[in-house]
Amino acid sequence: KAEHYPDPESRKLKHALAEYHEVPEEALICGNGGADLIYRLAYGTKPAHALLTAPTFLEYEEALKQVETKIHIYEMQPDYRVREDILEQMTEDMDVMFLCNPNNPTGILVEQELLLRILERAESRSILLVLDECFLDFTGQEERSLIQKTTEYKHLFILKSFTKMYAMPGIRLGYGVCGDGALLRKMETAGQCWGISVLASEAGIAALGEGEYKEKAITLVREERAYLKKEMEILGMTVWDGQADYLFFRTDGIRDLYDRLLPEGIMIRRCSNYRGLDETCYRVAVKDHEANERLIEALKKTAR
């Protein structure tokens, strides 16, 4: 199949996604990873004002900077949670707001009642709510997804990715769900043609049929996340109650944990480049039990 050019409209993949999520095919857009869609949205809409939480996924701000959007920040300190006062910052001059649920890098979910109030406020004030649900699959709480709301709320864009759950970041495949056809057309024309390769499309279609794998992955991550959190807290680290396939933690007094772990053959994510975080903040992936045990043993040696 790779000897042919891909379908620029990704119709086969959209058909599979429409059946999977029970949404219309015309409500879907596919991209070369979730990041591609973030940039397409920025280029296609060129919003004047945007509301971002902090700390959160860096690409939202990077994409908006390229179109000279004025960025307004909602600080989630000290507990890194979205609170009710975010509604006060959703003013009528806002064009778009990005919300990551669960958040990256903390893994914390937005309270569902508050999320629905945010959606209502966005719709009533014509603010495009870009809700990043790329890590929601790992929570085992997909009933929290607002995908079905896209048929009712035109100012809602849901961002999804195959990268995380199906462990294929090198293939680059993401998609969005939105009831605003005009917005999707702007995004389609804001990037290159043939953004989705034939191989990526086929991989995505195959992944949607892997229900058993998905359930096993959710169970594994839930169990191993609890194990890691418990062991890391015993070592004196402050670990947040994240719900994704990673844990966000702070090592008070240790600012070089990344470098200490390298000789042990372990790399963790430094989070000091996120707004509001410093060199004591890290994110670590939840892996299989053997790998997690290796991490804990390495932390026992280096994080003292």
Side-chain angles (χ1 to χ4, degrees):
K1 294 181 178 180
E3 70 269 20
H4 300 295
Y5 280 102
D7 175 7
E9 297 181 20
S10 304
R11 283 169 290 192
K12 187 178 178 183
L13 176 58
K14 286 179 181 177
H15 179 74
L17 286 167
E19 288 192 339
Y20 184 82
H21 287 296
E22 298 181 344
V23 296
E25 290 183 39
E26 58 267 24
L28 289 156
I29 184 171
C30 300
N32 185 27
D36 176 39
L37 295 174
I38 293 169
Y39 280 83
R40 282 177 179 261
L41 192 148
Y43 297 154
T45 63
K46 295 182 173 62
H49 294 267
L51 177 61
L52 304 181
T53 60
T56 196
F57 186 46
L58 302 172
E59 294 300 329
Y60 309 146
E61 185 169 352
E62 291 302 312
L64 293 168
K65 282 180 177 178
Q66 293 195 15
V67 295
E68 300 181 342
T69 301
K70 181 174 177 54
I71 296 168
H72 305 259
I73 300 296
Y74 172 80
E75 299 283 354
M76 294 191 289
Q77 302 282 15
D79 57 359
Y80 305 118
R81 293 184 180 275
V82 176
R83 302 175 300 276
E84 187 174 352
D85 61 354
I86 196 173
L87 297 169
E88 299 170 10
Q89 294 196 32
M90 295 176 64
T91 53
E92 292 180 352
D93 60 333
M94 291 297 164
D95 301 297
V96 63
M97 69 178 293
F98 285 79
L99 205 55
C100 193
N101 193 42
N103 191 35
N104 176 1
T106 63
I108 295 174
L109 285 159
V110 181
E111 183 182 334
Q112 193 70 3
E113 182 182 352
L114 176 56
L115 183 60
L116 292 173
R117 291 180 65 190
I118 291 171
L119 174 60
E120 292 286 351
R121 177 67 61 93
E123 188 72 12
S124 67
R125 300 200 170 178
S126 299
I127 303 169
L128 178 63
L129 172 60
V130 181
L131 185 62
D132 186 340
E133 295 186 353
C134 287
F135 288 101
L136 188 62
D137 293 354
F138 286 106
T139 69
Q141 302 176 62
E142 286 187 85
E143 68 274 7
R144 287 176 174 264
S145 174
L146 297 191
I147 284 180
Q148 297 304 319
K149 297 285 188 182
T150 56
T151 58
E152 181 183 352
Y153 294 83
K154 299 304 180 185
H155 291 86
L156 174 64
F157 183 95
I158 304 291
L159 183 66
K160 299 285 287 184
S161 173
F162 284 92
T163 296
K164 314 302 187 299
M165 173 56 71
Y166 299 102
M168 50 188 203
I171 292 178
R172 307 307 303 147
L173 185 59
Y175 60 98
V177 188
C178 181
D180 185 348
L183 171 63
L184 296 183
R185 287 189 292 274
K186 288 179 182 178
M187 292 177 64
E188 292 279 9
T189 58
Q192 64 166 331
C193 189
W194 301 312
I196 310 300
S197 72
V198 172
L199 299 180
S201 178
E202 291 298 322
I205 293 167
L208 292 175
E210 294 293 333
E212 183 178 352
Y213 160 81
K214 183 176 178 179
E215 290 305 314
K216 287 182 178 179
I218 291 171
T219 300
L220 173 69
V221 168
R222 182 189 302 118
E223 293 174 352
E224 291 301 315
R225 187 172 59 226
Y227 163 75
L228 271 183
K229 186 173 187 292
K230 177 183 176 183
E231 294 296 322
M232 291 168 71
E233 287 177 336
I234 289 173
L235 292 173
M237 298 171 182
T238 302
V239 187
W240 272 260
D241 190 24
Q243 299 298 307
D245 62 328
Y246 50 81
L247 281 173
F248 173 72
F249 65 102
R250 185 184 294 275
T251 54
D252 294 329
I254 302 176
R255 294 179 173 267
D256 60 346
L257 185 61
Y258 176 89
D259 296 316
R260 294 188 191 189
L261 287 172
L262 283 181
E264 306 297 323
I266 293 175
M267 294 179 68
I268 61 176
R269 175 66 162 88
R270 291 174 286 195
C271 293
S272 57
N273 61 331
Y274 286 85
R275 280 182 179 268
L277 303 184
D278 61 23
E279 292 83 0
T280 66
C281 299
Y282 299 90
R283 191 187 73 193
V284 65
V286 177
K287 299 188 175 183
D288 61 47
H289 192 67
E290 182 179 353
N292 294 333
E293 283 186 318
R294 279 189 59 227
L295 172 63
I296 294 302
E297 290 306 311
L299 287 173
K300 288 178 180 178
K301 290 172 59 178
T302 61
R304 298 289 187 181

